[in-house]
Amino acid sequence: MKCDFFSLSDRGRVRANNEDAVAVDRDLGLAVLADGMGGYNAGEVASALATAEVQRQLRAALPRGSNAPREVRRALQHSVEAANLAIYEAALSRPDWRGMATTLVVALFGGARLTVGHVGDSRLYRLRQGQLALLTRDHSLLQEQIDAGLLSPDMARVAQYKNLVTRAVGVEPLVALELSEHVVQAGDTYLLCSDGLNDMLSDGEIAQILTHAPPLAQAGQALLDAANAAGGRDNISLVLVQCSPDTERQGLLARLLPA
């Protein structure tokens, strides 16, 4: 399987600065997105630390093309733990960084396998054959109330406290990472996004844009423009990943293997 990547990050129409961060590593098949929080400028410090540390740790731990599923899960867990500790210790080192933290969603593609780790309410969606599916579950007070039957999804869209997360990277010395694995199919498109996108657009609107604007750059820009047109009340960040058969690799294997 071959994966193509495209990323965008924008401060939106209301915020003075951008506290989101994204990182893409095509050699690793890695996409990382973080939405920072904290005092003045501290949120962007936390998100930048998280994305950089996760990428650095995974590049060191996963030689390209030689990774068993258990090794990938272990490396992903370790990379987020290292990022968490880096943010936690940095916050202790400076008074103006106290309390900084970040959400995090990491997608690691390897062949037909996708390994996902997330903390907080940044999301990962999959578009497959025109159907949009949410592959992560928000770690938020709002999601807990939905799960408990106290709120309907429609009520949740207008709730005043939708951005109160119950987990974040950098708050404590240890972090609770949620891991999941998925099978990748040719034609899949994956979307990592901060809540500045999915708070502005419904899942139906996201699906419609992804379906009708197939080139990644065109679809990504269309999503960003739509979120800003709907109000742009927060920073807006996204990574799009499109998967297709690796015909060049298949041809090479065909030539190497005996008939």
Side-chain angles (χ1 to χ4, degrees):
M1 202 73 68
K2 180 183 71 172
C3 295
D4 296 318
F5 295 81
F6 177 79
S7 63
L8 274 178
S9 188
D10 186 79
R11 67 182 177 89
R13 300 180 61 184
V14 175
R15 299 293 180 91
N17 61 326
N18 190 350
E19 295 186 321
D20 291 354
V22 296
V24 167
D25 190 318
R26 290 168 176 80
D27 289 338
L28 275 179
L30 173 68
V32 190
L33 184 146
D35 180 353
M37 59 195 82
Y40 180 70
N41 287 341
E44 60 196 57
V45 173
S47 61
L49 271 173
T51 53
E53 186 65 15
V54 165
Q55 184 177 18
R56 187 180 74 84
Q57 293 285 341
L58 289 175
R59 285 190 71 87
L62 297 177
R64 188 179 180 190
S66 61
N67 309 305
R70 182 178 296 180
E71 293 173 348
V72 172
R73 291 193 299 271
R74 185 184 300 117
L76 183 49
Q77 178 78 46
H78 175 76
S79 73
V80 175
E81 289 172 351
N84 180 78
L85 195 58
I87 295 168
Y88 180 78
E89 291 179 344
L92 295 177
S93 71
R94 288 181 48 168
D96 55 334
W97 288 354
R98 295 289 168 87
M100 72 176 180
T102 185
T103 69
L104 186 67
V105 57
V106 185
L108 194 55
F109 294 83
R113 186 179 70 247
L114 166 62
T115 307
V116 180
H118 82 286
V119 182
D121 62 355
S122 292
R123 293 182 172 182
L124 174 65
Y125 290 92
R126 179 189 65 211
L127 182 72
R128 175 176 290 170
Q129 298 178 353
Q131 299 298 311
L132 190 72
L134 179 60
L135 300 186
T136 54
R137 175 184 170 277
D138 292 351
H139 300 137
S140 67
L141 178 61
L142 193 64
Q143 186 62 53
E144 289 183 355
Q145 294 192 327
I146 294 171
D147 293 344
L150 301 175
L151 283 179
S152 69
D154 288 339
M155 293 169 62
R157 285 195 61 80
V158 296
Q160 298 298 312
Y161 49 90
K162 62 173 61 180
N163 303 121
L164 295 177
V165 296
T166 54
R167 298 188 204 178
V169 179
V171 176
E172 297 176 341
L174 299 176
V175 62
L177 175 69
E178 184 168 341
L179 281 167
S180 61
E181 292 181 315
H182 307 272
V183 175
V184 177
Q185 293 184 9
D188 284 354
T189 299
Y190 295 85
L191 166 68
L192 292 77
C193 65
S194 60
D195 60 359
L197 182 74
N198 57 264
D199 279 353
M200 294 292 96
L201 303 177
S202 68
D203 287 4
E205 290 169 325
I206 292 172
Q208 184 175 34
I209 291 171
L210 289 177
T211 302
H212 291 94
L216 288 190
Q218 181 178 327
Q221 190 63 55
L223 286 168
L224 178 63
D225 291 345
N228 272 324
R233 292 193 294 270
D234 199 353
N235 306 146
I236 306 159
S237 296
L238 61 93
V239 182
L240 285 170
V241 187
Q242 196 166 66
C243 301
S244 58
D246 191 342
T247 53
E248 182 178 335
R249 184 179 177 87
Q250 290 174 350
L252 176 61
L253 289 174
R255 290 193 298 272
L256 292 175
L257 293 174

